[in-house]
Amino acid sequence: MQALGGIETFGLVYVLEAADAMEKASGVEIVGYENVASGYISVLVKGDVAAVESAVDAGVKAVEEMGAEVYSALVIPSPHPDLEKVTEIYNLDNLI
């Protein structure tokens, strides 16, 4: 599995801004997203380590520039293969 990164914030508009910035910053692929009832939304990306690190940094910056708070941001450079079982349920193809 490639490096995995994610950002969690509050609200669809902010997570869309984060995802857009993440895609534009580097060659990452959006894995999917999770929207919980309380309004927290996470977006997950994968790619090589440098690209994921750059993407997460860009996503955090984009959300903060809008005046919103990033509740968490994460980069896992070498995720355990079993994490794919967890992230698979958030795959865009499964959510649509």
Side-chain angles (χ1 to χ4, degrees):
M1 180 186 260
Q2 298 173 311
L4 184 65
I7 292 176
E8 183 176 65
T9 188
F10 189 84
L12 179 62
V13 171
Y14 300 120
V15 85
L16 286 174
E17 181 70 12
D20 183 59
M22 293 167 88
E23 282 284 333
K24 290 176 179 175
S26 59
V28 295
E29 177 185 344
I30 293 179
V31 173
Y33 70 98
E34 169 66 1
N35 183 359
V36 296
S38 63
Y40 291 99
I41 304 177
S42 301
V43 61
L44 301 171
V45 297
K46 67 180 179 181
D48 68 55
V49 176
V52 170
E53 288 174 344
S54 176
V56 169
D57 289 344
V60 167
K61 182 178 177 186
V63 170
E64 289 175 345
E65 285 179 352
M66 292 182 72
E69 183 177 346
V70 173
Y71 293 102
S72 61
L74 172 71
V75 174
I76 303 174
S78 182
H80 190 282
D82 284 351
L83 282 183
E84 194 164 359
K85 295 174 187 174
V86 175
T87 60
E88 182 64 27
I89 63 173
Y90 303 111
N91 186 299
L92 292 175
D93 293 333
N94 294 335
L95 296 171
I96 297 176

Coordinates of all heavy atoms in Angstrom, one line a residue:
M1 N 0.9 -1.2 0.0 CA 0.0 0.0 0.0 C 0.9 1.2 0.0 O 1.9 1.3 0.7 CB -0.9 0.0 1.2 CG -1.8 1.2 1.3 SD -2.8 1.3 2.9 CE -4.3 0.7 2.3
Q2 N 0.5 2.2 -0.7 CA 1.2 3.5 -0.8 C 1.0 4.3 0.5 O 0.2 3.9 1.4 CB 0.7 4.3 -1.9 CG 0.9 3.7 -3.3 CD 0.2 4.5 -4.4 OE1 -0.9 4.8 -4.3 NE2 1.0 4.7 -5.4
A3 N 1.7 5.4 0.7 CA 1.5 6.2 1.9 C 0.0 6.6 1.9 O -0.7 6.8 0.9 CB 2.4 7.4 1.8
L4 N -0.5 6.9 3.1 CA -1.9 7.2 3.3 C -1.9 8.5 4.1 O -1.1 8.7 5.1 CB -2.6 6.1 4.1 CG -4.0 6.2 4.4 CD1 -4.8 6.2 3.1 CD2 -4.5 5.1 5.3
G5 N -2.8 9.5 3.7 CA -2.9 10.7 4.4 C -4.3 11.1 4.6 O -5.2 10.7 3.8
G6 N -4.6 11.9 5.6 CA -6.0 12.3 5.8 C -6.1 13.6 6.5 O -5.1 14.0 7.3
I7 N -7.2 14.3 6.3 CA -7.5 15.6 7.0 C -8.9 15.5 7.5 O -9.8 15.0 6.8 CB -7.3 16.8 6.1 CG1 -5.9 17.0 5.7 CG2 -7.9 18.0 6.8 CD1 -5.7 18.1 4.7
E8 N -9.2 15.9 8.7 CA -10.5 16.0 9.3 C -10.8 17.4 9.7 O -10.0 18.0 10.4 CB -10.6 15.0 10.5 CG -12.1 15.0 11.1 CD -12.2 14.0 12.2 OE1 -11.6 14.3 13.2 OE2 -12.9 13.0 12.0
T9 N -12.0 17.9 9.2 CA -12.4 19.2 9.6 C -13.9 19.2 9.8 O -14.5 18.1 9.8 CB -12.0 20.2 8.5 OG1 -12.3 21.5 8.9 CG2 -12.6 20.0 7.2
F10 N -14.5 20.3 9.9 CA -16.0 20.4 10.2 C -16.7 21.1 9.0 O -16.4 22.3 8.8 CB -16.2 21.2 11.5 CG -17.7 21.1 11.9 CD1 -18.1 20.0 12.7 CD2 -18.5 22.1 11.6 CE1 -19.4 20.0 13.1 CE2 -19.9 22.1 12.0 CZ -20.3 21.0 12.7
G11 N -17.4 20.4 8.2 CA -18.2 21.0 7.1 C -17.7 20.6 5.7 O -16.5 20.4 5.5
L12 N -18.7 20.4 4.9 CA -18.4 19.9 3.5 C -17.6 20.9 2.7 O -16.7 20.6 2.0 CB -19.7 19.7 2.8 CG -19.6 19.2 1.3 CD1 -18.9 17.9 1.2 CD2 -21.0 19.1 0.7
V13 N -17.9 22.2 2.9 CA -17.2 23.2 2.1 C -15.7 23.2 2.4 O -14.8 23.3 1.5 CB -17.7 24.6 2.4 CG1 -16.9 25.7 1.8 CG2 -19.2 24.7 1.9
Y14 N -15.3 23.0 3.7 CA -13.9 23.0 4.1 C -13.2 21.8 3.6 O -12.1 21.8 3.2 CB -13.8 23.2 5.6 CG -14.4 24.5 6.1 CD1 -15.4 24.5 7.0 CD2 -13.9 25.7 5.6 CE1 -16.0 25.6 7.5 CE2 -14.5 26.9 6.1 CZ -15.5 26.8 7.0 OH -16.1 28.0 7.4
V15 N -13.9 20.6 3.7 CA -13.2 19.4 3.2 C -13.1 19.4 1.7 O -12.1 18.9 1.1 CB -13.9 18.1 3.7 CG1 -15.1 17.7 2.9 CG2 -12.9 17.0 3.9
L16 N -14.0 20.0 1.0 CA -13.8 20.1 -0.5 C -12.7 21.0 -0.8 O -11.9 20.7 -1.7 CB -15.1 20.7 -1.1 CG -16.3 19.8 -1.2 CD1 -17.5 20.5 -1.7 CD2 -16.0 18.6 -2.1
E17 N -12.5 22.1 -0.1 CA -11.4 23.0 -0.3 C -10.1 22.3 0.0 O -9.1 22.4 -0.7 CB -11.5 24.2 0.6 CG -10.3 25.2 0.4 CD -10.3 26.0 -0.9 OE1 -11.3 25.9 -1.6 OE2 -9.3 26.6 -1.2
A18 N -10.1 21.5 1.1 CA -8.9 20.7 1.4 C -8.6 19.7 0.3 O -7.4 19.5 -0.1 CB -9.1 19.9 2.7
A19 N -9.6 18.9 -0.1 CA -9.4 17.9 -1.2 C -8.9 18.5 -2.5 O -8.0 18.0 -3.1 CB -10.7 17.2 -1.4
D20 N -9.4 19.7 -2.8 CA -9.0 20.4 -4.0 C -7.5 20.8 -3.9 O -6.7 20.6 -4.8 CB -9.8 21.6 -4.3 CG -9.5 22.3 -5.6 OD1 -9.5 21.7 -6.6 OD2 -9.2 23.5 -5.5
A21 N -7.1 21.3 -2.8 CA -5.8 21.8 -2.6 C -4.8 20.5 -2.5 O -3.7 20.6 -3.1 CB -5.6 22.5 -1.3
M22 N -5.3 19.4 -2.0 CA -4.5 18.2 -1.9 C -4.2 17.7 -3.3 O -3.1 17.3 -3.6 CB -5.2 17.2 -1.0 CG -5.2 17.6 0.4 SD -6.3 16.6 1.4 CE -5.2 15.3 1.9
E23 N -5.2 17.6 -4.1 CA -5.0 17.1 -5.5 C -4.1 18.0 -6.3 O -3.3 17.6 -7.1 CB -6.4 17.0 -6.2 CG -7.2 15.8 -5.8 CD -6.7 14.5 -6.4 OE1 -6.1 14.6 -7.5 OE2 -6.9 13.5 -5.8
K24 N -4.3 19.4 -6.2 CA -3.5 20.3 -6.9 C -2.1 20.4 -6.5 O -1.2 20.7 -7.3 CB -4.1 21.7 -6.9 CG -5.4 21.8 -7.6 CD -6.1 23.1 -7.5 CE -7.4 23.2 -8.3 NZ -8.1 24.5 -8.0
A25 N -1.8 20.1 -5.2 CA -0.4 20.2 -4.7 C 0.5 19.1 -5.1 O 1.7 19.3 -5.2 CB -0.5 20.2 -3.2
S26 N 0.0 17.9 -5.4 CA 0.8 16.8 -5.7 C 0.0 15.7 -6.4 O -1.2 15.7 -6.5 CB 1.5 16.3 -4.5 OG 0.6 15.8 -3.6
G27 N 0.7 14.7 -6.8 CA 0.1 13.6 -7.6 C -0.5 12.5 -6.7 O -0.2 11.4 -6.8
V28 N -1.4 12.9 -5.8 CA -2.1 11.9 -4.9 C -3.4 11.5 -5.5 O -4.0 12.2 -6.4 CB -2.3 12.5 -3.5 CG1 -1.0 12.7 -2.8 CG2 -3.2 13.7 -3.5
E29 N -3.9 10.4 -5.0 CA -5.2 10.0 -5.4 C -6.2 10.0 -4.2 O -5.8 9.6 -3.2 CB -5.1 8.5 -5.9 CG -6.5 7.9 -6.3 CD -6.3 6.4 -6.7 OE1 -5.2 6.0 -6.9 OE2 -7.3 5.7 -6.7
I30 N -7.3 10.6 -4.4 CA -8.3 10.6 -3.3 C -8.9 9.2 -3.2 O -9.4 8.6 -4.1 CB -9.4 11.6 -3.6 CG1 -8.9 13.0 -3.5 CG2 -10.6 11.4 -2.5 CD1 -9.9 14.1 -3.8
V31 N -8.7 8.7 -2.0 CA -9.3 7.3 -1.7 C -10.8 7.4 -1.4 O -11.6 6.7 -2.0 CB -8.6 6.7 -0.4 CG1 -9.2 5.4 0.0 CG2 -7.1 6.6 -0.7
G32 N -11.1 8.4 -0.6 CA -12.6 8.5 -0.3 C -12.7 9.5 0.8 O -11.8 10.3 1.2
Y33 N -13.9 9.5 1.4 CA -14.2 10.5 2.5 C -15.2 9.8 3.5 O -15.8 8.8 3.1 CB -14.8 11.8 1.9 CG -16.2 11.6 1.4 CD1 -17.3 11.9 2.2 CD2 -16.4 11.1 0.1 CE1 -18.6 11.7 1.7 CE2 -17.7 10.9 -0.4 CZ -18.8 11.2 0.4 OH -20.0 11.1 -0.1
E34 N -15.3 10.4 4.6 CA -16.2 9.9 5.6 C -16.9 11.2 6.2 O -16.3 12.1 6.6 CB -15.5 9.2 6.7 CG -16.4 8.9 8.0 CD -17.6 7.9 7.7 OE1 -17.7 7.5 6.6 OE2 -18.3 7.7 8.7
N35 N -18.2 11.1 6.2 CA -19.0 12.2 6.8 C -19.9 11.7 7.9 O -20.7 10.8 7.7 CB -20.0 12.8 5.7 CG -20.8 14.0 6.1 OD1 -20.7 14.4 7.3 ND2 -21.6 14.5 5.2
V36 N -19.6 12.1 9.1 CA -20.3 11.6 10.3 C -21.4 12.6 10.6 O -21.4 13.7 10.2 CB -19.4 11.4 11.5 CG1 -18.4 10.3 11.2 CG2 -18.7 12.6 11.9
A37 N -22.4 12.1 11.3 CA -23.6 12.9 11.6 C -23.3 14.2 12.3 O -24.1 15.2 12.1 CB -24.6 12.1 12.4
S38 N -22.3 14.3 13.0 CA -22.0 15.6 13.8 C -21.4 16.7 12.9 O -21.2 17.8 13.4 CB -21.1 15.3 14.9 OG -19.9 14.8 14.5
G39 N -21.1 16.4 11.6 CA -20.6 17.4 10.7 C -19.1 17.2 10.5 O -18.6 17.9 9.6
Y40 N -18.4 16.4 11.2 CA -17.0 16.2 10.9 C -16.9 15.4 9.6 O -17.6 14.4 9.4 CB -16.4 15.4 12.1 CG -16.3 16.1 13.4 CD1 -17.2 16.0 14.4 CD2 -15.3 17.1 13.5 CE1 -17.1 16.7 15.6 CE2 -15.2 17.8 14.7 CZ -16.1 17.6 15.7 OH -16.0 18.3 16.9
I41 N -16.0 15.8 8.8 CA -15.7 15.1 7.5 C -14.2 14.9 7.4 O -13.4 15.8 7.6 CB -16.3 15.9 6.4 CG1 -17.8 16.2 6.6 CG2 -16.1 15.2 5.1 CD1 -18.4 17.1 5.5
S42 N -13.9 13.7 6.9 CA -12.5 13.4 6.7 C -12.3 13.1 5.2 O -13.2 12.5 4.6 CB -12.0 12.2 7.5 OG -12.2 12.4 8.8
V43 N -11.2 13.4 4.6 CA -10.8 13.0 3.3 C -9.5 12.3 3.4 O -8.6 12.7 4.1 CB -10.8 14.2 2.3 CG1 -9.7 15.2 2.8 CG2 -10.5 13.8 0.9
L44 N -9.4 11.2 2.6 CA -8.2 10.3 2.6 C -7.6 10.3 1.2 O -8.3 10.3 0.2 CB -8.6 8.9 3.0 CG -9.3 8.6 4.3 CD1 -9.8 7.2 4.4 CD2 -8.3 8.9 5.4
V45 N -6.3 10.4 1.2 CA -5.5 10.3 -0.1 C -4.4 9.3 0.1 O -4.0 8.9 1.1 CB -4.9 11.7 -0.4 CG1 -6.0 12.7 -0.7 CG2 -3.9 12.2 0.6
K46 N -4.0 8.8 -1.1 CA -2.8 7.9 -1.1 C -1.9 8.3 -2.3 O -2.3 9.0 -3.2 CB -3.3 6.5 -1.2 CG -3.9 6.1 -2.6 CD -4.3 4.6 -2.6 CE -5.0 4.3 -3.9 NZ -5.4 2.9 -3.9
G47 N -0.6 7.9 -2.1 CA 0.4 8.2 -3.1 C 1.7 7.9 -2.5 O 1.8 7.3 -1.5
D48 N 2.8 8.4 -3.2 CA 4.1 8.2 -2.6 C 4.2 9.2 -1.4 O 3.5 10.1 -1.2 CB 5.2 8.4 -3.6 CG 5.4 9.8 -4.1 OD1 5.5 10.7 -3.3 OD2 5.3 10.0 -5.3
V49 N 5.2 8.9 -0.5 CA 5.3 9.6 0.7 C 5.4 11.1 0.6 O 4.7 11.8 1.2 CB 6.5 9.0 1.6 CG1 6.7 9.8 2.9 CG2 6.3 7.5 1.9
A50 N 6.3 11.5 -0.3 CA 6.5 13.0 -0.5 C 5.2 13.6 -1.0 O 4.9 14.7 -0.5 CB 7.7 13.2 -1.4
A51 N 4.5 13.0 -1.9 CA 3.3 13.6 -2.4 C 2.2 13.7 -1.4 O 1.5 14.7 -1.3 CB 2.8 12.7 -3.6
V52 N 2.1 12.6 -0.6 CA 1.1 12.6 0.5 C 1.4 13.7 1.5 O 0.5 14.4 2.0 CB 0.9 11.2 1.1 CG1 0.0 11.3 2.4 CG2 0.3 10.3 0.1
E53 N 2.7 13.8 1.9 CA 3.1 14.8 2.9 C 2.8 16.2 2.3 O 2.2 17.1 3.0 CB 4.5 14.7 3.2 CG 4.8 13.5 4.1 CD 6.3 13.3 4.3 OE1 7.2 13.9 3.6 OE2 6.7 12.5 5.2
S54 N 3.1 16.5 1.1 CA 2.8 17.8 0.5 C 1.3 18.0 0.4 O 0.9 19.1 0.6 CB 3.5 17.8 -0.9 OG 3.2 19.0 -1.6
A55 N 0.6 17.0 0.0 CA -0.9 17.2 -0.1 C -1.5 17.5 1.2 O -2.4 18.4 1.3 CB -1.5 15.9 -0.7
V56 N -1.1 16.8 2.3 CA -1.7 17.0 3.6 C -1.4 18.4 4.0 O -2.3 19.2 4.5 CB -1.3 16.0 4.6 CG1 -1.7 16.3 6.0 CG2 -2.0 14.6 4.2
D57 N -0.2 18.8 3.9 CA 0.2 20.2 4.2 C -0.6 21.2 3.5 O -1.1 22.2 4.1 CB 1.7 20.4 3.9 CG 2.7 19.7 4.9 OD1 2.2 19.2 5.9 OD2 3.9 19.6 4.6
A58 N -0.8 21.0 2.2 CA -1.6 22.0 1.4 C -3.0 22.0 1.8 O -3.7 23.0 1.8 CB -1.5 21.6 -0.1
G59 N -3.6 20.8 2.1 CA -5.0 20.8 2.6 C -5.2 21.5 3.9 O -6.2 22.2 4.1
V60 N -4.3 21.3 4.8 CA -4.3 21.9 6.1 C -4.3 23.5 5.9 O -5.1 24.2 6.5 CB -3.2 21.5 7.1 CG1 -3.1 22.4 8.3 CG2 -3.4 20.0 7.5
K61 N -3.3 23.9 5.1 CA -3.2 25.3 4.9 C -4.4 25.9 4.2 O -4.9 27.0 4.6 CB -2.0 25.6 4.0 CG -1.7 27.0 3.7 CD -0.5 27.2 2.8 CE -0.3 28.7 2.5 NZ 0.8 28.9 1.5
A62 N -5.0 25.2 3.3 CA -6.2 25.7 2.6 C -7.4 25.9 3.6 O -8.1 26.9 3.6 CB -6.6 24.8 1.5
V63 N -7.6 24.9 4.5 CA -8.7 25.0 5.4 C -8.4 26.1 6.4 O -9.3 26.9 6.7 CB -8.8 23.7 6.2 CG1 -9.8 23.8 7.4 CG2 -9.3 22.6 5.2
E64 N -7.2 26.2 6.9 CA -6.9 27.3 7.9 C -7.0 28.7 7.2 O -7.4 29.6 7.9 CB -5.5 27.1 8.4 CG -5.4 25.9 9.4 CD -4.0 25.5 9.9 OE1 -3.0 26.0 9.3 OE2 -4.0 24.8 10.9
E65 N -6.7 28.8 5.9 CA -6.8 30.1 5.3 C -8.3 30.5 5.1 O -8.6 31.7 5.0 CB -6.1 30.1 3.9 CG -4.6 30.1 4.0 CD -3.9 30.0 2.6 OE1 -4.6 29.8 1.6 OE2 -2.7 30.2 2.6
M66 N -9.2 29.6 5.2 CA -10.6 29.9 5.2 C -11.1 30.2 6.5 O -12.3 30.5 6.7 CB -11.4 28.7 4.6 CG -11.1 28.5 3.1 SD -12.1 27.1 2.5 CE -13.7 27.8 2.5
G67 N -10.3 30.2 7.5 CA -10.7 30.5 8.9 C -11.3 29.3 9.7 O -11.9 29.5 10.7
A68 N -11.1 28.1 9.1 CA -11.7 26.9 9.8 C -10.6 26.2 10.5 O -9.4 26.5 10.4 CB -12.4 26.0 8.8
E69 N -11.0 25.2 11.3 CA -10.0 24.5 12.1 C -9.9 23.1 11.5 O -10.9 22.4 11.1 CB -10.6 24.3 13.6 CG -9.6 23.6 14.5 CD -10.1 23.5 15.9 OE1 -11.1 24.3 16.2 OE2 -9.6 22.8 16.7
V70 N -8.7 22.6 11.4 CA -8.4 21.2 11.1 C -8.3 20.5 12.4 O -7.5 20.8 13.3 CB -7.0 21.1 10.3 CG1 -6.7 19.7 10.1 CG2 -7.2 21.8 9.0
Y71 N -9.2 19.5 12.6 CA -9.2 18.7 13.8 C -8.1 17.7 13.9 O -7.6 17.4 15.0 CB -10.6 18.1 14.1 CG -11.6 19.2 14.3 CD1 -12.5 19.6 13.3 CD2 -11.7 19.9 15.5 CE1 -13.4 20.6 13.5 CE2 -12.6 20.9 15.7 CZ -13.5 21.2 14.7 OH -14.4 22.2 14.9
S72 N -7.7 17.2 12.8 CA -6.6 16.2 12.7 C -6.1 16.1 11.3 O -6.8 16.3 10.3 CB -7.0 14.8 13.3 OG -8.1 14.3 12.5
A73 N -4.8 15.8 11.2 CA -4.2 15.6 9.9 C -3.2 14.5 10.2 O -2.5 14.4 11.2 CB -3.5 16.8 9.4
L74 N -3.0 13.6 9.2 CA -2.2 12.4 9.4 C -1.5 12.0 8.1 O -2.1 12.0 7.1 CB -3.1 11.2 9.9 CG -2.5 9.9 10.0 CD1 -1.5 9.8 11.2 CD2 -3.6 8.9 10.3
V75 N -0.3 11.5 8.2 CA 0.4 10.9 7.1 C 1.0 9.6 7.7 O 1.7 9.6 8.7 CB 1.5 11.8 6.6 CG1 2.3 11.0 5.5 CG2 1.0 13.0 6.0
I76 N 0.7 8.5 7.1 CA 1.3 7.2 7.4 C 2.1 6.8 6.2 O 1.6 6.4 5.2 CB 0.2 6.1 7.7 CG1 -0.7 6.6 8.8 CG2 0.9 4.8 8.1 CD1 -1.9 5.7 9.1
P77 N 3.5 6.9 6.4 CA 4.4 6.6 5.3 C 4.3 5.2 4.7 O 4.4 5.0 3.6 CB 5.8 6.9 5.8 CG 5.5 7.8 7.0 CD 4.2 7.4 7.6
S78 N 4.2 4.2 5.6 CA 4.2 2.8 5.2 C 3.1 2.1 6.0 O 3.4 1.4 7.0 CB 5.5 2.2 5.5 OG 5.6 0.9 5.1
P79 N 1.8 2.3 5.6 CA 0.7 1.7 6.4 C 0.7 0.2 6.3 O 1.1 -0.4 5.3 CB -0.5 2.3 5.7 CG -0.1 2.7 4.4 CD 1.3 3.0 4.5
H80 N 0.3 -0.5 7.3 CA 0.2 -1.9 7.4 C -0.9 -2.3 6.3 O -1.9 -1.6 6.1 CB -0.3 -2.4 8.7 CG -0.2 -3.9 8.9 ND1 -1.2 -4.7 8.4 CD2 0.7 -4.6 9.5 CE1 -0.9 -5.9 8.7 NE2 0.3 -5.9 9.3
P81 N -0.6 -3.4 5.6 CA -1.6 -3.8 4.5 C -3.0 -4.0 5.0 O -4.0 -3.8 4.3 CB -1.0 -5.1 4.0 CG 0.5 -5.0 4.3 CD 0.6 -4.2 5.6
D82 N -3.2 -4.3 6.3 CA -4.5 -4.5 6.8 C -5.4 -3.2 6.9 O -6.6 -3.3 7.0 CB -4.5 -5.2 8.2 CG -4.2 -6.7 8.1 OD1 -4.2 -7.3 6.9 OD2 -4.0 -7.3 9.1
L83 N -4.7 -2.1 6.9 CA -5.4 -0.8 6.9 C -6.3 -0.7 5.6 O -7.3 0.1 5.7 CB -4.5 0.4 7.0 CG -3.9 0.6 8.4 CD1 -3.1 1.9 8.4 CD2 -5.1 0.8 9.4
E84 N -5.9 -1.3 4.6 CA -6.7 -1.2 3.4 C -8.1 -1.8 3.6 O -9.1 -1.3 3.0 CB -6.0 -2.0 2.2 CG -6.6 -1.6 0.9 CD -5.7 -2.0 -0.3 OE1 -4.6 -2.5 -0.1 OE2 -6.1 -1.8 -1.4
K85 N -8.3 -2.7 4.5 CA -9.6 -3.3 4.8 C -10.4 -2.2 5.5 O -11.7 -2.1 5.2 CB -9.5 -4.4 5.8 CG -8.8 -5.6 5.2 CD -8.5 -6.7 6.3 CE -7.7 -7.8 5.8 NZ -7.4 -8.8 6.9
V86 N -9.8 -1.3 6.2 CA -10.6 -0.2 6.8 C -10.9 0.9 5.8 O -12.0 1.4 5.7 CB -9.8 0.4 8.0 CG1 -10.5 1.6 8.6 CG2 -9.5 -0.7 9.1
T87 N -9.9 1.3 5.1 CA -10.1 2.4 4.1 C -11.0 2.0 2.9 O -11.6 2.9 2.3 CB -8.7 2.9 3.6 OG1 -8.0 1.9 2.9 CG2 -7.9 3.5 4.7
E88 N -11.1 0.7 2.6 CA -11.9 0.3 1.5 C -13.3 0.7 1.6 O -14.0 1.0 0.6 CB -11.8 -1.2 1.3 CG -12.5 -1.8 0.2 CD -12.0 -1.3 -1.2 OE1 -10.8 -1.0 -1.3 OE2 -12.8 -1.3 -2.1
I89 N -13.9 0.8 2.8 CA -15.3 1.1 3.0 C -15.5 2.6 2.7 O -16.6 3.0 2.4 CB -15.8 0.8 4.4 CG1 -15.1 1.6 5.5 CG2 -15.7 -0.7 4.7 CD1 -15.7 1.4 6.8
Y90 N -14.5 3.4 2.6 CA -14.6 4.8 2.3 C -14.3 5.1 0.9 O -14.3 6.3 0.4 CB -13.7 5.7 3.2 CG -14.0 5.4 4.7 CD1 -13.1 4.8 5.5 CD2 -15.2 5.8 5.2 CE1 -13.5 4.5 6.8 CE2 -15.6 5.6 6.5 CZ -14.7 4.9 7.3 OH -15.0 4.7 8.6
N91 N -14.0 4.1 0.1 CA -13.6 4.2 -1.3 C -14.8 4.9 -2.0 O -16.0 4.6 -1.8 CB -13.4 2.9 -1.9 CG -12.9 3.0 -3.4 OD1 -13.6 3.4 -4.2 ND2 -11.7 2.5 -3.6
L92 N -14.5 5.9 -2.9 CA -15.5 6.7 -3.6 C -16.5 5.8 -4.4 O -17.7 6.0 -4.5 CB -14.8 7.7 -4.5 CG -14.1 8.8 -3.8 CD1 -13.4 9.7 -4.8 CD2 -15.1 9.7 -3.0
D93 N -15.9 4.7 -5.0 CA -16.8 3.8 -5.8 C -17.8 3.1 -4.9 O -19.0 2.9 -5.3 CB -16.0 2.8 -6.5 CG -15.1 3.3 -7.5 OD1 -15.4 4.4 -8.1 OD2 -14.0 2.7 -7.8
N94 N -17.5 2.9 -3.6 CA -18.4 2.3 -2.7 C -19.4 3.2 -2.1 O -20.5 2.9 -1.6 CB -17.7 1.6 -1.6 CG -16.8 0.4 -2.0 OD1 -17.1 -0.2 -3.1 ND2 -15.8 0.1 -1.3
L95 N -19.1 4.5 -2.1 CA -20.0 5.5 -1.5 C -21.0 6.1 -2.5 O -22.0 6.7 -2.1 CB -19.1 6.7 -1.0 CG -18.2 6.3 0.2 CD1 -17.2 7.4 0.5 CD2 -19.0 5.9 1.4
I96 N -20.7 5.9 -3.8 CA -21.6 6.5 -4.8 C -22.7 5.5 -5.2 O -22.5 4.4 -5.3 CB -20.8 7.0 -6.0 CG1 -19.9 8.1 -5.6 CG2 -21.7 7.4 -7.1 CD1 -19.0 8.6 -6.7

